[in-house]
Amino acid sequence: MRVAVDAMGGDYGPDEIVLGAFQAAQEYEQEGIEIVLVGDQAQIIQALDRHGKWKEGNITVQHASEVIDMHDSPGAAVRKKKDASVVVATGLVKQGHCDVVISAGSTGGAVAAALFGLGRIKGIERPAIATPIPNLTGTTVLLDSGANVDSKPKHLVQNAIMGSIYAEYVLNIPRPRVGLLNIGEEESKGNEQAFTTYPLLTQLNSVNFIGNVEGRDIPKGTVDVVVCDGFVGNIVLKFGEGLASAILQLLKQSIKSGNLWTKLAAMLIMPTLRGLKKKLDHAEYGGAPLLGVNGGFIICHGSSRAKDIKSAIRVAKEFTEQEVVAHIRETIAKEGIVTNE
Amino acid sequence: MRVAVDAMGGDYGPDEIVLGAFQAAQEYEQEGIEIVLVGDQAQIIQALDRHGKWKEGNITVQHASEVIDMHDSPGAAVRKKKDASVVVATGLVKQGHCDVVISAGSTGGAVAAALFGLGRIKGIERPAIATPIPNLTGTTVLLDSGANVDSKPKHLVQNAIMGSIYAEYVLNIPRPRVGLLNIGEEESKGNEQAFTTYPLLTQLNSVNFIGNVEGRDIPKGTVDVVVCDGFVGNIVLKFGEGLASAILQLLKQSIKSGNLWTKLAAMLIMPTLRGLKKKLDHAEYGGAPLLGVNGGFIICHGSSRAKDIKSAIRVAKEFTEQEVVAHIRETIAKEGIVTNE
C-alpha cells in the first residue's frame, strides 16, 4: 500500500511531517506500507538525512514546487497552482500510483484538491470531514466538521450514511448509533435544517438512527456518529479543543500556586494528568478522513507534529484496507441515492 | 426591589428553589431584596417551614395552580395555562408589583411567558438568552444560547448590542470585545448568515466589534461577548457542560484506579479539583438573562439547586440595579434600529 504524504502543509511542515512519515515508514514496513513524500525535494531530503538511513527503505520523494497556504482561495489555488504539493499528492492517487493522501495543509485547499482531483462518489453531493472525538467510553465521530456550510437536509442524510460506514469499518463499532445534532431530543425541536432532516434519516435502511442528540451526548458517549452542518461541527470541535486545554491549564496553574504538599501531590499525579491529556489529544486519533470522494484522503490538524502524522498514516492504512470508499459507493447505491449535482 | 421566583420550575422544584430563595432572602435582606415565591401555596409553605422562621421576613407567597412542563408546547401552554407559575410570576413584573422574574422551568415556556407577558423592547425582534461562560481570565457571554433558531443577520446585530450592554453593566467589562462566532477569522469565512452579518456589525457605533472569533476563543478568553444563532449557541453550551464534567470524571476515575501514592496525591489535590469544578460550574454564574423583553427575566438551568437560585437572585439584583433594560432601549434607539415585526 502506498501513502502520499503532503510534506509541505501544516504549521510544522516539512520537518515534523517528514519525521512522522519516517517513523511510520520504519514501523509499518513489515506491513507493506510505502511512503511517498510530496513537496520541495531539497527540503524533504535534508529533513530525511537528519533522521538517518532512509534511501534503501520504503520512502520515496516526489518533487512539487508549490504550496497552497492559508491565504490562498482554495478553489482558485487548486486550479492555478498545478504543482502544489497537495495537488500533486492527490494526483498520485488519481493515477493509481498511491492509495491514499495525507495532508496537514489548509483544510480548504485539501478539500478542493480532493474534489478536483478525485471527484465525488456517485450519489454524494458534498464530501464531509469525519472527526473522531474521544468520549467517556470510546470515540464519537462528528461529521461534517468543516468541509461544508449551509448544508441541505439531503447532505446531512449522506453524512449519516458515510459516518456510519466509517464508524463500523474503521472504528470497529458494530451497528453504530447515529444521532442528529440538535437542541432537544424531541422530533419537533431545532432549526429548519434539522427539522427537515429528521424524517429523512428515519427512512434509511443502512443507518441505525437513534434520533436527535444534544451537545452533551458527544462527551458522554451515548452516540457513535453525530451528524451536523460543517458550520456547527467546526465550531463545536474548536470549542472542545480550547476548553480541554483551558481546563488542563487551570489545573496545572492551581497546582503550581499551591503549597509544598500540593506540589508533591502534583508530582505524584502527573502521570495521570499526562494520560488524560493523551486521551484528549487529537494526535492519538490521527487524521480525519474526507468522506465522499473517490479515493482515500486523510486531513490532519494544522498543528500536527510527527506523532500526529504517524497516527494519520495508521488511520490511512485502516481506511484503505477496510475499503471504506467501496462500502460508501455500494451503500449509497443500495439506499437509492443517485443524485449528483 | 422585589424578585418574583417561579418556585415550581426545574428538576428540583419546589424544594431547592424555595431553599435558595430563602437563603437569598436572609442574606440580601439588608440590601432591600424582597422575594415573592410563585406556585402551589401549600407546597411552598411546607418547604419554607422546613427551613425555619420566614413569616416575619422578606418572603411572601403568591399562589399559582398550574405548571408549564417540558412536554407542553410553550406558546400554547402560556395562552392556555393562565395560572401557571411562570405566567403569574411574569404578570407580577408586568403589573409593576415585582422588578424581575427568575425561572428554572422549561426554557421555551419561560421565553414564551416573557414575550407574551412583557413584550419586546422597541427595535428588538427576537429576545436572546445571554449565558455567561467561565474562561481562562474571566467570563465570556454567549448569546443567543437557545431562545431562537434560524436567526436573520439583523437579529444577530441586535444580540451584539444587547450582549455588549450586559457585559458592560452587569459583568463590569469596560468596552467589551464583541465577536461573531464563525469557522475562521477572515471576513469571507462562514455560512450565509455569518457572512451577511459581519458587515452589519462593523457599522454599529455602540459595539466594539473585533471581527470573527472561533470556538476556541471562548475558553481562551480573547473575546467578551460572542454572538451566534441560538441553535449553535445551545449546542456549544451543552457540549461544554458535557465535556467539562467528562474531563473531571476521567480525572477522578484515573486517580481512584491508581496506587497508594496516587490516592494520597488525590487526597492532597482534591481542594484544587473542587476549586476547578466551582469555576466550571454554572451555579457560580447564576442565571442567564433573557435580553430584549420589557422587564427583567432571568432563566436558570433546569438542574438548578438552591445555590444556583441564590446566585440567580444576585444576578437579578445586578440586572435591575444596573437598569439593563433601559440601557438596551436607549442604545437600540440611538443606533437607529426601530423595526418591530
Side-chain angles (χ1 to χ4, degrees):
Chain A
M1 181 190 311
R2 279 201 205 92
V3 183
V5 177
D6 170 10
M8 309 308 284
D11 304 343
Y12 305 107
D15 278 14
E16 290 276 328
I17 314 280
V18 169
L19 176 59
F22 177 78
Q23 290 168 343
Q26 290 192 311
E27 193 166 326
Y28 304 138
E29 186 163 16
Q30 299 308 318
E31 300 171 51
I33 294 281
E34 294 176 38
I35 307 280
V36 182
L37 283 163
V38 185
D40 185 277
Q41 194 162 19
Q43 285 186 53
I44 293 173
I45 288 178
Q46 202 176 29
L48 279 170
D49 283 339
R50 271 201 295 278
H51 305 307
K53 282 178 79 174
W54 60 275
K55 284 182 189 158
E56 300 95 57
N58 50 342
I59 294 185
T60 53
V61 179
Q62 170 73 50
H63 181 66
S65 61
E66 294 173 293
V67 176
I68 294 180
D69 66 26
M70 298 297 167
H71 306 291
D72 285 316
S73 163
V78 162
R79 282 170 179 78
K80 209 174 139 198
K81 294 184 170 176
K82 291 201 195 316
D83 205 36
S85 53
V86 69
V87 173
V88 173
T90 309
L92 293 176
V93 172
K94 168 79 175 171
Q95 296 142 25
H97 184 72
C98 288
D99 300 284
V100 54
V101 188
I102 287 174
S103 178
S106 142
T107 301
V111 172
L115 275 170
F116 193 70
L118 302 174
R120 289 166 287 148
I121 291 173
K122 192 172 171 61
I124 299 294
E125 295 176 25
R126 296 191 180 182
I129 300 171
T131 303
I133 301 177
N135 64 42
L136 277 177
T137 57
T139 304
T140 299
V141 179
L142 179 81
L143 82 167
D144 173 33
S145 62
N148 296 290
V149 297
D150 294 321
S151 303
K152 292 180 189 151
K154 61 180 174 179
H155 302 137
L156 298 188
V157 168
Q158 292 158 21
N159 289 357
I161 297 171
M162 297 193 293
S164 180
I165 289 170
Y166 186 71
E168 184 176 347
Y169 289 95
V170 177
L171 303 177
N172 297 311
I173 302 169
R175 214 171 140 64
R177 295 160 298 174
V178 177
L180 178 63
L181 192 55
N182 206 329
I183 59 172
E185 285 178 9
E186 304 84 357
E187 185 174 348
S188 62
K189 285 274 182 164
N191 59 8
E192 185 64 34
Q193 184 193 54
F195 183 74
T196 318
T197 303
Y198 191 107
L200 301 177
L201 290 175
T202 63
Q203 289 165 25
L204 294 173
N205 297 313
S206 63
V207 167
N208 174 21
F209 178 54
I210 60 164
N212 288 328
V213 294
E214 297 188 81
R216 64 172 74 95
D217 292 306
I218 302 173
K220 251 194 211 166
T222 48
V223 58
D224 303 307
V225 178
V226 171
V227 172
C228 63
D229 186 284
F231 187 78
V232 177
N234 188 270
I235 288 172
V236 162
L237 207 62
K238 287 180 182 162
F239 177 65
E241 280 180 27
L243 186 59
S245 89
I247 290 175
L248 289 177
Q249 200 174 321
L250 281 175
L251 200 56
K252 279 182 191 167
Q253 268 172 15
S254 45
I255 288 171
K256 268 188 196 158
S257 60
N259 58 23
L260 190 67
W261 288 108
T262 317
K263 285 201 176 71
L264 176 67
M267 276 174 57
L268 290 166
I269 219 165
M270 265 306 153
T272 297
L273 263 186
R274 271 196 291 269
L276 181 66
K277 188 161 184 319
K278 198 172 163 188
K279 185 147 191 169
L280 295 169
D281 199 340
H282 56 80
E284 296 302 311
Y285 287 84
L290 179 70
L291 300 176
V293 291
N294 280 309
F297 202 113
I298 312 295
I299 293 176
C300 297
H301 202 285
S303 65
S304 292
R305 299 277 191 174
K307 63 179 174 151
D308 307 74
I309 298 299
K310 200 182 128 195
S311 277
I313 290 171
R314 199 195 62 227
V315 170
K317 179 174 171 287
E318 288 290 310
F319 187 94
T320 308
E321 285 175 356
Q322 294 299 324
E323 303 184 43
V324 173
V325 172
H327 287 298
I328 292 175
R329 206 175 274 138
E330 279 161 29
T331 309
I332 288 283
K334 264 189 213 155
E335 288 281 4
I337 295 173
V338 288
T339 334
N340 254 29
E341 286 164 324
Chain B
M1 181 190 312
R2 280 202 203 92
V3 183
V5 177
D6 170 10
M8 309 308 284
D11 304 342
Y12 306 107
D15 278 14
E16 291 275 328
I17 314 280
V18 169
L19 177 57
F22 178 77
Q23 291 169 343
Q26 292 194 308
E27 193 166 325
Y28 305 137
E29 186 164 16
Q30 298 310 315
E31 300 171 51
I33 294 280
E34 294 176 37
I35 307 280
V36 182
L37 282 164
V38 185
D40 186 277
Q41 194 163 20
Q43 285 186 54
I44 293 172
I45 288 178
Q46 203 175 31
L48 279 171
D49 283 340
R50 270 202 296 278
H51 305 308
K53 282 177 78 172
W54 61 275
K55 283 181 190 158
E56 301 95 57
N58 50 342
I59 296 186
T60 53
V61 179
Q62 169 73 51
H63 181 65
S65 62
E66 296 174 292
V67 176
I68 294 180
D69 66 27
M70 297 299 167
H71 306 292
D72 284 317
S73 165
V78 163
R79 281 171 179 77
K80 208 173 139 197
K81 294 184 172 176
K82 289 200 195 318
D83 204 36
S85 55
V86 68
V87 173
V88 173
T90 309
L92 293 176
V93 172
K94 169 77 175 170
Q95 297 143 24
H97 185 71
C98 288
D99 299 285
V100 54
V101 188
I102 287 173
S103 178
S106 142
T107 301
V111 172
L115 275 171
F116 194 68
L118 303 174
R120 290 165 287 146
I121 292 172
K122 193 172 170 63
I124 299 295
E125 295 176 25
R126 296 191 180 183
I129 299 170
T131 304
I133 301 177
N135 64 42
L136 278 178
T137 57
T139 305
T140 298
V141 179
L142 180 80
L143 82 167
D144 173 36
S145 63
N148 297 290
V149 298
D150 293 322
S151 303
K152 292 180 189 149
K154 59 181 174 179
H155 303 136
L156 299 188
V157 168
Q158 292 158 21
N159 289 356
I161 295 171
M162 297 192 294
S164 180
I165 288 171
Y166 186 72
E168 184 175 346
Y169 289 95
V170 178
L171 303 176
N172 296 313
I173 301 169
R175 217 173 138 63
R177 295 160 297 174
V178 177
L180 177 64
L181 192 57
N182 205 330
I183 59 171
E185 287 178 7
E186 304 83 358
E187 185 175 347
S188 62
K189 285 275 181 163
N191 60 7
E192 186 64 33
Q193 184 193 53
F195 183 74
T196 318
T197 303
Y198 191 107
L200 300 177
L201 290 174
T202 62
Q203 288 164 27
L204 294 173
N205 296 313
S206 63
V207 167
N208 175 19
F209 178 54
I210 61 164
N212 289 327
V213 295
E214 297 188 82
R216 64 172 75 95
D217 292 306
I218 301 173
K220 250 195 213 168
T222 48
V223 58
D224 303 307
V225 178
V226 170
V227 172
C228 63
D229 186 284
F231 186 78
V232 178
N234 188 270
I235 288 172
V236 162
L237 208 62
K238 288 179 180 161
F239 177 66
E241 279 180 28
L243 186 59
S245 88
I247 290 175
L248 289 177
Q249 200 173 321
L250 281 174
L251 201 57
K252 279 182 189 166
Q253 268 172 15
S254 46
I255 287 172
K256 269 188 194 157
S257 61
N259 59 22
L260 190 67
W261 287 109
T262 317
K263 284 200 177 72
L264 176 67
M267 276 173 56
L268 291 167
I269 219 164
M270 265 307 154
T272 297
L273 261 185
R274 271 197 290 269
L276 182 65
K277 187 162 184 315
K278 198 172 162 188
K279 184 145 191 167
L280 295 169
D281 199 339
H282 56 81
E284 297 301 311
Y285 288 84
L290 178 70
L291 299 176
V293 290
N294 280 309
F297 203 112
I298 311 294
I299 293 175
C300 297
H301 202 284
S303 66
S304 291
R305 298 280 192 172
K307 63 178 173 151
D308 308 74
I309 299 300
K310 199 181 131 197
S311 278
I313 291 172
R314 199 195 60 227
V315 169
K317 180 175 172 286
E318 288 288 312
F319 187 93
T320 309
E321 286 175 354
Q322 293 299 322
E323 302 184 45
V324 173
V325 172
H327 286 298
I328 291 175
R329 206 174 273 137
E330 281 161 28
T331 309
I332 289 283
K334 264 191 212 153
E335 287 282 4
I337 295 172
V338 288
T339 333
N340 254 26
E341 284 164 329

